[in-house]
Amino acid sequence: MADVAAEVGVSRALVSLVFRGQPGASPDTRERVFDAAARLGYKPDMAARLLARGRSKVLGVLFTARNPYHVDLVEAIYPAAEELGYDLVLSATVPTRNEHNAIEALIGHRSEALLLCGPTIPDADVTELGTRVPTVVLGRHIKDARIDVVTSYDRPGAREVVDYLVGLGHRDIVHVDAGNRPGGPERRRAYRDAMRAHGLADRIRVIPGNHSQEGGSDAARLLLEEDAPLPTAVFAANDQCAIGLLDVFTRAGVKIPEQVSIVGYDDSHIAGLSHIDLTTVRQDARRLARLAVEAADEQLRGAREPGVCLKLESKLVVRGTSGPPAAAE
C-alpha cells in the first residue's frame, strides 16, 4: 500500500480506505489508486487481514504421502473447503517424518481446525489434540472423544467381499490384514465372521500385513514359498496391499484371476487403471471429504459440540482381478 500511495501521491491511510471500500476518497482518487495498484501488481494480503480479525480460515490436513487413497481425499477436500471460504495447509507423513511432527507443523501454520486422514497415533493422543484445536478424523474409528469422525462402515464392506468370493466358488480365501491401522481390526473381524457364516471356519487364515505395497509383497512371497497350494483368493487390507500382492504373483507367473483372485479396499484412483483393473471396495472419497470439511466448519462456528460420528456405506466394485476358481469353472 505504501508503494501505491507513493505512485498516486496520496497517504497510505487513504489507500487503505479505498481498498476497504470506506468513504473519504473522491471517485477520481479511487480510480487512480486502483489503476496504480493494477500497474504495480498489488494484491491485498487476505491472510494478514483474517489474522488481524483473529481468524486464519485455514484447515490443516494430515495425510500419508505414499497412500493413493489419502491423495484422493486431499483432492476432494480442496473444492469442499473453497466452497466454505477455507484454504488448506497440507502436512504429509513420510518414512522420515512422523505424525506428531506433521500435526505440530499444521498447528504452527495457524490452522483453525485439523482434518486427519487415517491417523495412526494412539487414541489418547487424538483425544488430547481435540482439546487443543477442533479436529476431524477421516477413516478411523475413535470412540468417546471430543472430536468428529467421518468414515465408512468397514464391516459390511469386508463381509461383501467374502460373500462375493464364496458366491464365485472360492473356499480357500486368505486375508492380508492391516494390524491395528485404521480399518484393520474391523475388516479382519468381518472377514472371520463372514467365513464362519459360510461354514468355512476351518479355512480362515489371516496373514499379518499393513496398508503398504510392501506388506502385500511380503504376504505374496510367504504364500509362494510355502510347500502348499496357493489360496484361490486373497482379500487385501487396502488397494496398496493388493497391488503388492498382484505385482509379486504376476512376476512369479501366477495367473490373475485364473489361479488367484485378488480384492482390495478403498477404490483409490490407481485401482481403476487399465493395467491394474483391481476388484475393490469403494469408499466415497468426495462425500467423506465434504462431510469432514462441513464438520470442521460447524465446530469452528460453534454450531454444535464435537463428538459426532458420521458413517457412509461402501460398495464392492468388480473388475478384472477376480473370477471363479479354476475348479469351479
Side-chain angles (χ1 to χ4, degrees), residues 1-20 23-26 29-30 32-34 36 42:
M1 284 193 291
D3 291 339
V4 173
E7 178 80 5
V8 179
V10 297
S11 69
R12 186 181 183 281
L14 188 61
V15 171
S16 177
L17 288 175
V18 171
F19 283 139
R20 287 186 286 119
S26 68
T29 300
R30 289 180 183 278
R32 289 191 296 121
V33 166
F34 285 126
Y42 171 83

Side-chain angles (χ1 to χ4, degrees), residues 10-67:
V10 297
S11 69
R12 186 181 183 281
L14 188 61
V15 171
S16 177
L17 288 175
V18 171
F19 283 139
R20 287 186 286 119
Q22 299 295 317
S26 68
D28 177 67
T29 300
R30 289 180 183 278
E31 185 176 353
R32 289 191 296 121
V33 166
F34 285 126
D35 286 345
R39 289 195 304 273
L40 295 172
Y42 171 83
K43 293 182 179 180
D45 188 341
M46 296 305 298
R49 287 186 178 182
L50 289 167
L51 286 173
R53 299 173 190 169
R55 294 290 304 274
S56 71
K57 294 289 282 187
V58 169
L59 303 179
V61 182
L62 170 77
F63 71 107
T64 301
R66 293 187 177 184
N67 189 324

Side-chain angles (χ1 to χ4, degrees), residues 1-328:
M1 284 193 291
D3 291 339
V4 173
E7 178 80 5
V8 179
V10 297
S11 69
R12 186 181 183 281
L14 188 61
V15 171
S16 177
L17 288 175
V18 171
F19 283 139
R20 287 186 286 119
Q22 299 295 317
S26 68
D28 177 67
T29 300
R30 289 180 183 278
E31 185 176 353
R32 289 191 296 121
V33 166
F34 285 126
D35 286 345
R39 289 195 304 273
L40 295 172
Y42 171 83
K43 293 182 179 180
D45 188 341
M46 296 305 298
R49 287 186 178 182
L50 289 167
L51 286 173
R53 299 173 190 169
R55 294 290 304 274
S56 71
K57 294 289 282 187
V58 169
L59 303 179
V61 182
L62 170 77
F63 71 107
T64 301
R66 293 187 177 184
N67 189 324
Y69 182 64
H70 285 189
V71 174
D72 293 347
L73 285 172
V74 170
E75 288 184 355
I77 288 170
Y78 266 107
E82 288 175 359
E83 284 186 18
L84 294 180
Y86 292 96
D87 200 358
L88 299 183
V89 172
L90 306 182
S91 190
T93 61
V94 297
T96 56
R97 187 174 192 244
N98 64 38
E99 288 185 354
H100 286 102
N101 291 340
I103 289 170
E104 289 304 321
L106 292 173
I107 295 174
H109 281 88
R110 299 181 183 270
S111 300
E112 285 193 306
L114 302 180
L115 308 182
L116 310 182
C117 299
T120 61
I121 57 177
D123 286 5
D125 292 356
V126 179
T127 300
E128 187 276 334
L129 184 63
T131 65
R132 299 168 56 195
V133 59
T135 301
V136 182
V137 169
L138 292 87
R140 174 177 166 185
H141 303 268
I142 297 179
K143 296 181 180 180
D144 304 322
R146 289 182 58 80
I147 60 166
D148 290 341
V149 172
V150 179
T151 186
S152 299
Y153 288 101
D154 285 303
R155 291 175 65 84
R159 282 198 302 268
E160 189 178 7
V161 171
V162 176
D163 292 345
Y164 162 71
L165 291 172
V166 171
L168 291 176
H170 292 278
R171 297 295 180 269
D172 292 316
I173 305 169
V174 168
H175 178 47
V176 181
D177 79 351
N180 290 321
R181 290 180 175 272
E186 292 79 15
R187 295 168 199 175
R188 182 171 56 248
R189 285 194 294 268
Y191 159 78
R192 293 180 187 274
D193 291 344
M195 290 290 282
R196 293 189 187 101
H198 286 287
L200 300 173
D202 59 330
R203 305 289 185 92
I204 292 174
R205 184 180 180 188
V206 176
I207 297 177
N210 55 48
H211 280 162
S212 70
Q213 187 169 335
E214 291 77 12
S217 299
D218 290 343
R221 294 189 190 97
L222 173 65
L223 291 168
L224 288 168
E225 292 168 359
E226 292 178 342
D227 186 19
L230 289 171
T232 62
V234 182
F235 169 35
N238 73 344
D239 290 349
Q240 277 187 291
C241 181
I243 289 170
L245 286 155
L246 182 62
D247 178 61
V248 171
F249 278 146
T250 301
R251 291 175 185 272
V254 177
K255 294 182 180 179
I256 309 295
E258 292 82 359
Q259 291 177 265
V260 179
S261 286
I262 298 176
V263 180
Y265 205 105
D266 285 340
D267 195 26
S268 56
H269 64 276
I270 58 174
L273 297 177
S274 60
H275 65 287
I276 295 177
D277 201 28
L278 179 67
T279 295
T280 183
V281 177
R282 174 176 295 162
Q283 299 194 79
D284 192 339
R286 288 186 180 182
R287 193 170 176 211
L288 287 168
R290 178 172 294 279
L291 289 174
V293 171
E294 290 175 352
D297 179 60
E298 289 171 359
Q299 287 193 54
L300 289 169
R301 290 189 290 106
R304 58 167 174 78
E305 292 295 315
V308 169
C309 182
L310 304 172
K311 291 188 177 182
L312 301 182
E313 298 292 336
S314 53
K315 180 182 179 181
L316 181 68
V317 180
V318 176
R319 296 195 180 99
T321 60
S322 62

